[in-house]
Amino acid sequence: MNRILSTLARALLLGAALAAGGAHAQTATTPPADDALYQQLGAQPGLVKLVDDFMVRLLADPRMNPFFKDVDQAHVKAELVTQFCEVSGGPCRRKGPDMKQAHAGMDINKNNFNALVEVLQQAMQAQGIAFTTQNKLLAKLAPMHRDIINTP
Ligand code: HEM
């Protein structure tokens, strides 16, 4: 929402600058969005493949299976694709529950969190995603541990 508002605000400012007709209009252009990480992840097709494989691996991992065996896989995968797209600078905007709410019904500890990250790393590796790109995505997701880990 903030992003939409700030985009709107920039559009209004640009409009005002253009209406003023001054040379200032040239300096008021909106910079292009930085979607480099999204592109490095293979954009939408890359993210769909990554998340498909991620879910297969989550279900196959004995540490993660108890959490994921009964979930609506199609729904969770779609939410993950949208989330990874958004945090990597792509054009998606996730509207689902925030991370605290989404994980509130489960007891998730630090070890569980680290295990999920490990499985995500394996999935990225299997997709041939460069190590630096892997780390960039993980850096975007890591701060979410504050909302997701909810048990000691
Ligand atoms: C950086 C780490 C994580 C991210 C980015 C993440 C992201 C997400 C997202 C986007 C959803 C979909 C929520 C929705 O819209 O319904 C979800 C659901 C879920 N997450 Fe996570 N998650 C993370 C860590 C974990 C961990 C550590 C566990 C458990 C060990 C976990 C277990 C689940 C389960 C079981 C669901 C499905 C809940 C349901 O549909 O009932 N997640 N997660």
Side-chain angles (χ1 to χ4, degrees):
M1 182 56 94
N2 281 340
R3 198 182 283 258
I4 295 170
L5 286 176
S6 75
T7 304
L8 197 65
R10 275 203 299 270
L12 289 172
L13 280 174
L14 179 60
L18 288 171
H24 301 295
Q26 297 211 328
T27 56
T29 49
T30 309
D34 180 4
D35 69 348
L37 179 55
Y38 175 66
Q39 298 301 339
Q40 284 157 10
L41 290 164
Q44 204 65 9
L47 288 177
V48 169
K49 276 178 71 183
L50 171 64
V51 169
D52 276 347
D53 185 45
F54 183 35
M55 185 57 75
V56 170
R57 288 168 188 275
L58 285 170
L59 292 168
D61 187 300
R63 299 167 299 176
M64 289 292 105
N65 178 277
F67 289 98
F68 287 93
K69 63 180 167 52
D70 295 325
V71 304
D72 177 345
Q73 285 182 39
H75 167 76
V76 176
K77 286 198 289 187
E79 290 292 334
L80 286 170
V81 168
T82 307
Q83 184 186 49
F84 291 179
C85 166
E86 181 169 9
V87 302
S88 65
C92 318
R93 298 295 173 263
R94 208 180 144 260
K95 296 184 181 68
D98 64 30
M99 287 298 92
K100 202 173 194 126
Q101 288 173 313
H103 299 89
M106 301 166 250
D107 289 338
I108 300 178
N109 64 29
K110 197 171 160 222
N111 287 342
N112 302 141
F113 188 89
N114 290 341
L116 179 133
V117 169
E118 201 182 298
V119 176
L120 178 57
Q121 283 174 312
Q122 290 165 0
M124 290 193 286
Q125 193 68 29
Q127 294 301 313
I129 294 170
F131 190 61
T132 47
T133 304
Q134 296 181 21
N135 286 342
K136 282 182 206 160
L137 179 61
L138 293 176
K140 301 280 184 192
L141 301 177
M144 297 177 187
H145 74 88
R146 292 186 196 95
D147 290 329
I148 294 173
I149 296 173
N150 52 21
T151 194

